Amino acid sequence: MGTKRNFRIWRGDADGGELTDYAVEVNEGEVVLDVIHRLQATDAPDLACRWNCKAGKCGSCSMEINGMPKLGCMTRMSTFEEDETVTVTPLRTFPVIRDLVTDVSFNYEKARETPAFAPPADLAPGDYRMQQVDVERSQEFRKCIECFLCQNVCHVIRDHDENKPAFSGPRYFIRAAELDMHPLDAKTDRKEYAQSEQGLGFCNITKCCTEVCPEHIKITDNGIIPMKERVVDRRYDPLVWLGSKIFRRGQVPQTSVTSEHSPGAVRSNAAGGGLHSHAGGSHDPAAETQAQQGVNWHREVPHPTAPAVDASGKLPLTELTFDRAAAPSPFGDDVTFPLPPEHLNFAHPDQDQKH
Amino acid sequence: MTNDSHRDTSATTRIERHHYDVVVIGAGGAGLRAAIEARLAGKKTAIISKSLFGKAHTVMAEGGAAAAMGNVNSRDSWQVHFRDTMRGGKFLNNFRMAELHAKESPQRIWELETYGALFDRTKDGKISQRNFGGHEYPRLAHVGDRTGLELIRTLQQKIVSLQQEDKRDHGSYDARIKVFAETTITELLLDGDRVAGAFGYYRESGEFVLFEAPAVVLATGGVGRSYKVTSNSWEYTGDGHALALRAGANLINMEFLQFHPTGMVWPVSVKGILVTESVRGDGGILKNSEGKRFMFDYVPDVFRKQYAETPEEADRWYTDPDNNRRPPELLPRDEVARAINSEVKAGRGTPAGGVYLDIASRLPAEEIRRRLPSMHHQFKGLADVDITKEPMEVGPTCHYVMGGIEVDPDSGAAYGSVRGLFAAGEVSGGMHGSNRLGGNSLSDLLVFGKRAGGHAAGYVDQLAARPRVEVAAVETAVETALAPLQRDTGENPYTLQQDLQAVMGDLVGIIRREAELADALVRLAELRERVAKVSAAGGRRYNPGWHLALDLRNMLVVSECTAKAALERRESRGGHTREDYPTMDPQWRRLNLVCSLEGDTVRLDRKPLPKMRTELLGLFDRAELAKYLTDEELAEFDALAAADAADAAGKETH
Ligand SMILES: Cc1cc2nc3c(=O)[nH]c(=O)nc-3n(C[C@H](O)[C@H](O)[C@H](O)COP(=O)(O)OP(=O)(O)OC[C@H]3O[C@@H](n4cnc5c(N)ncnc54)[C@H](O)[C@@H]3O)c2cc1C
Ligand code: SF4
Ligand code: SF4
Ligand code: FES
């Protein structure tokens, strides 16, 4: 019943590695993880790969299959042609430990930084009352199996290690959103926190994260965009402003991400052309590389912020509804001077050599 | 690194050392709850887990967590829950554990809400509860069909919140509670009869690590990986069971394994993966290849009174449970598993060797997607079956081990010759008797996790001096761990694992026979020789072959316990079915089979079951007790009842 199929699997460790070819038997109904297990039991007993549940519930078996971030246990072999070579590589955003296993500790660090649920002070255990409709929004985000595929695919940190300190990534934006929408959470500054500490402003709603989420969580539409919109109550995020002008909700342009893509440049399409780029505006890779030698162009600059827009997306031009009697700061309300040095767009020529 | 945390144990191996008050091995529900409790008691706590943080087996639990909160049916109470648990376990449960579990589960669930859990709600905003096999009232707190995920994530996030407090107060997240993910413990170290530490390796680097601690909580889960068809992951190699045995603790009830009646049987590669019982709780029915709803033919006498006799009555129960009896699809798991087994053996199975589980014809598609999202997802993704349109093909799969470390019911302290060792969760034994009810595990993890963590902290407080780890013991542990890498003549660990699974699956499976069990023991002895010589190719960094080679000896000793105990128990009860002794025998109910290690051979003893307190016994009908108790026990019960009656009459006349 089995047929031989060709696999190319990345073997190696932090010091480097290469794609290794294997011809493996594949049976009806199998998934990529089965094939990896067969390889372990036969040709490659020390092939490193994470897995636990084999049912898409634990989020351990994340890998890149033909360049697409996927769960190995949920990728059926029948989705490939018989003669197609299946290439399996480790998640690219995280440092390789060995073969298909990567060091995902970045995610656990970000999880630890995100302030936890704050229980309401006046309710005893057993007295919590919430309506189903009110918990459902947060429940969507709590479906997350922490496979980190969304983290892996997000261009802000894929190939941009330097953004990692300031950017928590989609997984933790929806954690913040989940708590923000929790009917009884006692903390009220989740969105401000997302903007100021998690780097929500880096996200330019490419929706790649939503596309790869195996739990089909609408990370951008239901999590990130509402967080950005609400942040707008106090701050001005040009992207949302632009987005809500040009597109209706749910129509923000989509781009797909594959592993071959040139690093750095945020692919901007016609509609998104005016949007913020993490690479400093040049889309010529050579020029970019050159430029990077002097200045660290990947460095995220805080978004310009401006006064709040109201529900219709207009600026509140009347002092009657504005919270003070003077013009707002052109730099945004919560920017205080002097700026912390790490927010300045200057880098010492030697700084990149440390890495 | 500094000399403080490192010390030479031999010329070649430097070993990283850590000092903790309480070391919790296992980061599932039980382990995390224990760690939270130990940390809240002010103890410096380490959590160790073979896989990443938040990926332990608990994540896979689907149906829910049983707790008599009475949110859906206010007649529910701990007494009813206790009764159901004892019935489910066929009265072999440790009654005290069943009692504590029934009493404390509601608090443990409510507490989760204060950690941020979001359960599904009833109309009046309380935690919703669903029906499940063997539970008289709707009792399982749930979140769709991903309750385990909610539970583990909530506990994980609670630990993070404690770490945030520690960061605020002490400047470091890891100041008082630290998670060592992808770290496997291979040995417990003793100082005399007291636990002194735990030894293991980082999977990532293959480097060794030593935890010095006066108290260890084992929460390592189950043993299902010894079976071919199982819902369990690679982690379930019985490590905790084996570590405890080697440290001088006892295992009880190892003959009782739960085969979940509904595992996927097709496609082959996902064989064993679970189809949650909620499918049946929400109206799914079982049919054979002739289209017959066969469960009505399999209601055993002991359950006759509680289960419907006609499909019409059964169907009315979903909307009017107070006036109708339950559908037989909701019988305890062992009954359903055996029924499916018989249908398939009688030639009425599906092409892939299972039966049909049909929800498509019972609920509207929209409702199925809402109530059973992850099942819908799982079948779509793994089998390309749309459960809103077609029936599923299901069959029994090895799911849960009732047996485990024999513990003191109140504190979780292991019995046997060792002190300072605690156990909670699936790795401990007694609570579920001969068969676990669905949903009772998740609440068990919380109730006894908390208890074990708290008592481990208490034990540390009363110690006069910290036990010391012996250098020689560490050296032996290092040698044992490195041996498979240094041999190149032995067999491949994967082959050995397959052979072990074949022996257990074929000879110590759902239906057992004396000759086969004896044969199994012979084969296990042969395997033991081969496992002692296993060799693993490759180096120390993240080498799954090496990891399996080290797990094999644990799987083997635990399998021996199961086979031995199964051979000894000459009756059928719950998760142990003997074809040659097909009925329950009240005499056997009075006995636990206890395994311990003598040198490296498994020793089996009989031990009387603790006697249930009379007020608990009084919760049952005499007619029901008659099915389980011996004549002497019944006579005793009658005498007590008579005395009570006389007492009451006496009081009235005054
Ligand atoms: C598919 C499925 C569905 C289920 N559904 C339900 C349900 O609906 N309701 C219910 O009540 N129960 C259910 N169960 C049972 C329940 O999930 C388990 O019994 C329970 O989760 C066990 O939890 P635990 O804390 O004891 O161990 P686990 O959650 O299994 O955790 C074990 C931990 O120990 C660690 N570990 C093991 N060995 C070592 C070692 N040598 N060194 C270091 N760490 C080690 C592992 O890495 C892991 O972190 C289900 C089980 C399965 C498989
Ligand atoms: S929408 Fe794009 S930029 Fe934003 S978090 Fe998702 S992947 Fe990253
Ligand atoms: S949000 Fe989705 S893609 Fe991201 S970690 Fe969670 S489950 Fe994975
Ligand atoms: S193994 Fe759990 S998600 Fe794939």
Side-chain angles (χ1 to χ4, degrees):
Chain A
M1 154 159 117
T3 52
K4 285 264 174 192
R5 299 278 194 92
N6 292 322
F7 265 74
R8 307 192 76 189
I9 299 182
W10 195 89
R11 303 288 316 262
D13 54 27
D15 303 329
E18 58 183 7
L19 289 168
T20 310
D21 285 289
Y22 296 97
V24 215
E25 189 184 303
V26 174
N27 300 318
E28 196 190 346
E30 287 189 332
V31 293
V32 170
L33 188 63
D34 290 315
V35 177
I36 288 173
H37 284 162
R38 179 153 310 120
L39 273 174
Q40 287 180 332
T42 54
D43 297 5
D46 63 337
L47 171 60
C49 169
R50 281 196 185 106
W51 70 283
N52 269 28
C53 66
K54 233 181 144 273
K57 290 177 193 297
C58 71
S60 304
C61 61
S62 307
M63 49 184 83
E64 299 194 2
I65 300 171
N66 288 347
M68 276 304 288
K70 290 221 164 123
L71 296 178
C73 71
M74 295 300 275
T75 309
R76 267 180 292 128
M77 285 306 297
S78 61
T79 56
F80 306 106
E81 300 297 326
E82 290 254 321
D83 55 357
E84 190 175 347
T85 298
V86 181
T87 306
V88 187
T89 48
L91 295 184
R92 179 155 124 192
T93 303
F94 310 115
V96 169
I97 292 172
R98 214 165 76 80
D99 303 341
L100 302 177
V101 174
T102 53
D103 175 358
V104 291
S105 52
F106 163 76
N107 301 289
Y108 290 97
E109 280 157 27
K110 295 298 170 184
R112 210 146 73 163
E113 287 163 11
T114 311
F117 171 69
D122 51 341
L123 281 184
D127 291 347
Y128 285 42
R129 296 288 177 276
M130 295 175 260
Q131 288 305 311
Q132 184 63 30
V133 282
D134 297 329
V135 299
E136 252 157 29
R137 295 191 309 166
S138 296
Q139 279 183 337
E140 175 185 8
F141 304 129
R142 291 185 72 83
K143 284 196 306 194
C144 170
I145 57 173
E146 301 204 330
C147 64
F148 307 131
L149 290 177
C150 57
Q151 304 282 86
N152 171 59
V153 84
C154 179
H155 66 96
V156 177
I157 44 175
R158 193 177 173 92
D159 303 314
H160 290 278
D161 275 348
E162 69 285 358
N163 284 339
K164 283 183 178 169
F167 185 72
S168 296
R171 161 63 188 118
Y172 299 100
F173 297 154
I174 62 166
R175 168 73 172 141
E178 168 214 320
L179 291 167
D180 187 45
M181 298 173 190
H182 190 299
L184 294 176
D185 179 45
K187 247 171 114 64
T188 53
D189 62 343
R190 301 280 177 193
K191 33 212 162 212
E192 289 74 15
Y193 179 86
Q195 188 80 340
S196 63
E197 306 295 326
Q198 291 189 305
L200 185 67
F202 282 60
C203 162
N204 57 345
I205 316 193
T206 58
K207 292 203 179 183
C208 312
C209 48
T210 305
E211 254 172 63
V212 298
C213 177
E215 285 294 307
H216 306 293
I217 300 172
K218 298 227 167 47
I219 302 175
T220 33
D221 286 8
N222 294 351
I224 294 176
I225 294 176
M227 289 295 275
K228 280 182 175 257
E229 280 179 344
R230 302 228 220 129
V231 167
V232 162
D233 294 346
R234 294 244 217 95
R235 311 176 63 130
Y236 167 71
D237 183 329
L239 182 75
V240 170
W241 182 75
L242 239 176
S244 60
K245 268 190 97 148
I246 303 173
F247 314 103
R248 273 184 291 122
R249 227 321 179 97
Q251 288 189 322
V252 180
Q254 297 211 353
T255 40
S256 68
V257 164
T258 61
S259 65
E260 302 84 35
H261 212 88
S262 71
V266 178
R267 273 142 299 117
S268 36
N269 45 33
L275 304 189
H276 179 77
S277 160
H278 303 297
S282 163
H283 295 290
D284 171 0
E288 242 181 79
T289 327
Q290 217 180 19
Q292 278 168 25
Q293 279 160 12
V295 179
N296 186 357
W297 286 110
H298 297 316
R299 178 178 306 282
E300 171 67 7
V301 191
H303 280 285
T305 44
V309 288
D310 62 21
S312 63
K314 302 236 169 64
L315 300 176
L317 291 177
T318 155
E319 283 183 13
L320 289 174
T321 56
F322 198 50
D323 61 0
R324 86 206 65 162
S329 157
F331 299 98
D333 282 351
D334 31 347
V335 176
T336 44
F337 294 96
L339 286 172
E342 63 273 18
H343 284 187
L344 297 176
N345 197 15
F346 168 77
H348 192 273
D350 285 343
Q351 82 168 17
D352 274 355
Q353 283 160 24
K354 275 190 305 204
H355 296 286
Chain B
M1 304 228 168
T2 62
N3 278 332
D4 257 11
S5 59
H6 285 75
R7 200 164 103 195
D8 276 354
T9 51
S10 72
T12 47
T13 341
R14 303 199 126 239
I15 292 184
E16 187 179 319
R17 273 177 191 243
H18 297 274
H19 295 262
Y20 283 93
D21 297 326
V22 176
V23 165
V24 178
I25 306 176
L32 297 184
R33 189 63 190 83
I36 290 171
E37 201 61 18
R39 152 67 179 74
L40 289 176
K43 294 289 165 278
K44 197 168 172 238
T45 307
I47 302 171
I48 306 171
S49 145
K50 285 215 267 193
S51 44
L52 291 171
F53 192 26
K55 311 272 181 216
H57 220 72
T58 302
V59 94
M60 291 157 73
E62 295 160 346
M69 297 182 282
N71 289 351
V72 171
N73 190 325
S74 56
R75 293 198 213 167
D76 203 7
S77 66
W78 75 262
Q79 288 91 340
V80 185
H81 191 181
F82 171 76
R83 223 159 43 201
D84 289 345
T85 303
M86 293 299 294
R87 256 179 215 148
K90 304 276 176 353
F91 273 67
L92 199 80
N93 316 52
N94 179 306
F95 77 88
R96 176 67 179 155
M97 290 177 91
E99 178 194 0
L100 288 170
H101 171 258
K103 282 183 175 162
E104 292 178 4
S105 295
Q107 276 112 322
R108 293 291 84 76
I109 298 289
W110 285 324
E111 189 174 72
L112 289 183
E113 287 198 304
T114 69
Y115 298 171
L118 283 174
F119 290 101
D120 286 349
R121 317 305 296 183
T122 60
K123 289 222 168 51
D124 53 356
K126 297 182 186 165
I127 296 175
S128 168
Q129 297 184 271
R130 70 154 50 116
N131 281 306
F132 227 61
H135 293 281
E136 192 168 334
Y137 296 115
R139 189 176 287 147
L140 269 66
H142 58 95
V143 186
D145 48 7
R146 53 162 192 86
T147 315
L149 172 66
E150 184 70 13
L151 192 118
I152 201 164
R153 200 66 81 231
T154 302
L155 293 172
Q156 185 184 345
Q157 287 166 348
K158 173 65 180 177
I159 284 174
V160 162
S161 94
L162 292 172
Q163 289 181 322
Q164 288 171 351
E165 278 175 27
D166 291 345
K167 162 104 170 153
R168 200 186 53 220
D169 299 346
H170 305 279
S172 160
Y173 289 117
D174 294 333
R176 291 198 289 170
I177 186 164
K178 183 167 162 140
V179 181
F180 293 83
E182 301 208 302
T183 305
T184 306
I185 296 299
T186 61
E187 220 70 72
L188 294 180
L189 303 168
L190 302 182
D191 179 352
D193 64 351
R194 283 176 305 164
V195 164
F199 170 89
Y201 60 87
Y202 291 122
R203 293 163 60 79
E204 186 175 302
S205 61
E207 296 296 329
F208 295 120
V209 54
L210 174 63
F211 298 90
E212 291 193 39
V216 167
V217 179
L218 288 170
T220 54
V223 306
R225 235 28 226 176
S226 309
Y227 283 80
K228 237 183 324 197
V229 182
T230 176
S231 61
N232 294 173
S233 84
W234 65 270
E235 291 190 306
Y236 267 25
T237 51
D239 292 7
H241 292 80
L243 289 170
L245 272 181
R246 289 202 292 269
N250 304 335
L251 304 185
I252 57 167
N253 292 351
M254 289 307 290
E255 64 275 34
F256 298 108
L257 278 161
Q258 184 170 76
F259 287 83
H260 193 287
T262 57
M264 292 175 81
V265 295
W266 196 93
V268 190
S269 69
V270 295
K271 205 169 170 144
I273 291 178
L274 210 68
V275 181
T276 171
E277 203 153 306
S278 333
V279 176
R280 282 171 285 137
D282 283 340
I285 54 171
L286 292 165
K287 291 193 213 162
N288 61 22
S289 57
E290 294 161 3
K292 176 166 183 221
R293 189 170 170 187
F294 59 82
M295 279 308 298
F296 290 100
D297 303 342
Y298 291 93
V299 183
D301 288 339
V302 281
F303 288 114
R304 205 62 82 207
K305 251 179 66 188
Q306 292 105 1
Y307 287 84
E309 276 158 49
T310 62
E312 294 70 34
E313 180 180 3
D315 287 349
R316 282 196 304 270
W317 176 86
Y318 294 107
T319 45
D320 182 12
D322 286 342
N323 297 311
N324 294 287
R325 289 174 297 172
R326 317 160 58 80
E329 277 82 8
L330 295 181
L331 275 162
R333 290 180 174 169
D334 50 335
E335 307 291 351
V336 183
R338 272 197 298 271
I340 295 178
N341 208 45
S342 312
E343 285 295 307
V344 175
K345 279 217 170 128
R348 293 188 292 270
T350 66
V355 295
Y356 293 109
L357 171 58
D358 177 22
I359 183 98
S361 69
R362 315 260 309 162
L363 286 179
E366 192 42 49
E367 196 59 18
I368 296 175
R369 274 193 294 267
R370 197 184 68 76
R371 290 210 213 170
L372 301 162
S374 84
M375 277 302 110
H376 182 248
H377 185 55
Q378 175 177 325
F379 271 84
K380 201 83 200 109
L382 295 176
D384 207 10
V385 166
D386 184 348
I387 64 166
T388 64
K389 298 207 179 75
E390 303 165 61
M392 301 159 242
E393 279 185 61
V394 298
T397 174
C398 177
H399 184 53
Y400 186 90
V401 58
M402 269 70 72
I405 301 167
E406 187 190 18
V407 292
D408 172 66
D410 287 82
S411 67
Y415 284 153
S417 64
V418 59
R419 285 190 294 150
L421 187 63
F422 297 77
E426 191 168 342
V427 72
S428 70
M431 157 73 206
H432 303 288
S434 68
N435 181 40
R436 171 182 73 95
L437 290 186
N440 265 1
S441 172
L442 290 186
S443 37
D444 161 18
L445 307 181
L446 298 170
V447 169
F448 294 102
K450 172 173 158 45
R451 285 184 161 268
H455 283 92
Y459 168 84
V460 173
D461 282 335
Q462 54 84 42
L463 273 182
R466 282 176 84 98
R468 298 184 66 86
V469 171
E470 255 182 82
V471 175
V474 180
E475 277 169 3
T476 319
V478 170
E479 275 165 31
T480 316
L482 287 178
L485 285 175
Q486 285 156 351
R487 272 190 293 260
D488 48 12
T489 48
E491 287 176 85
N492 174 337
Y494 296 94
T495 318
L496 286 168
Q497 185 188 24
Q498 276 165 18
D499 290 356
L500 174 65
Q501 290 173 336
V503 173
M504 293 306 283
D506 298 343
L507 306 177
V508 200
I510 307 189
I511 312 286
R512 299 159 178 180
R513 298 165 193 90
E514 175 154 352
E516 288 181 357
L517 291 168
D519 187 22
L521 281 169
V522 175
R523 286 168 195 248
L524 288 173
E526 283 164 19
L527 268 170
R528 180 188 272 253
E529 310 269 291
R530 291 163 64 196
V531 165
K533 289 186 293 213
V534 60
S535 71
R540 280 168 69 173
R541 291 178 71 88
Y542 219 109
N543 180 347
W546 178 41
H547 302 162
L548 178 60
L550 294 177
D551 294 343
L552 274 172
R553 66 174 183 146
N554 298 337
M555 296 169 76
L556 197 78
V557 68
V558 173
S559 298
E560 280 183 32
C561 292
T562 298
K564 266 209 161 136
L567 181 61
E568 178 84 358
R569 185 173 281 275
R570 293 189 184 82
E571 65 154 354
S572 294
R573 181 184 297 273
H576 171 66
T577 306
R578 284 283 295 262
E579 201 181 61
D580 38 1
Y581 300 94
T583 54
M584 265 196 289
D585 176 349
Q587 289 298 343
W588 271 106
R589 192 202 61 83
R590 309 181 72 177
L591 289 173
N592 279 138
L593 294 176
V594 182
C595 299
S596 55
L597 220 50
E598 223 170 27
D600 61 355
T601 51
V602 175
R603 171 197 160 122
L604 197 70
D605 295 291
R606 296 180 176 199
K607 186 171 169 182
L609 210 68
K611 210 160 136 194
M612 203 191 301
R613 294 203 314 276
T614 36
E615 83 264 22
L616 294 176
L617 212 51
L619 295 172
F620 297 90
D621 279 0
R622 188 186 189 280
E624 177 161 25
L625 291 176
K627 293 170 200 155
Y628 299 105
L629 303 191
T630 58
D631 294 341
E632 306 123 68
E633 286 172 307
L634 274 176
E636 222 174 286
F637 175 78
D638 290 339
L640 280 166
D644 268 2
D647 235 23
K651 274 196 191 108
E652 264 164 40
T653 52
H654 279 289

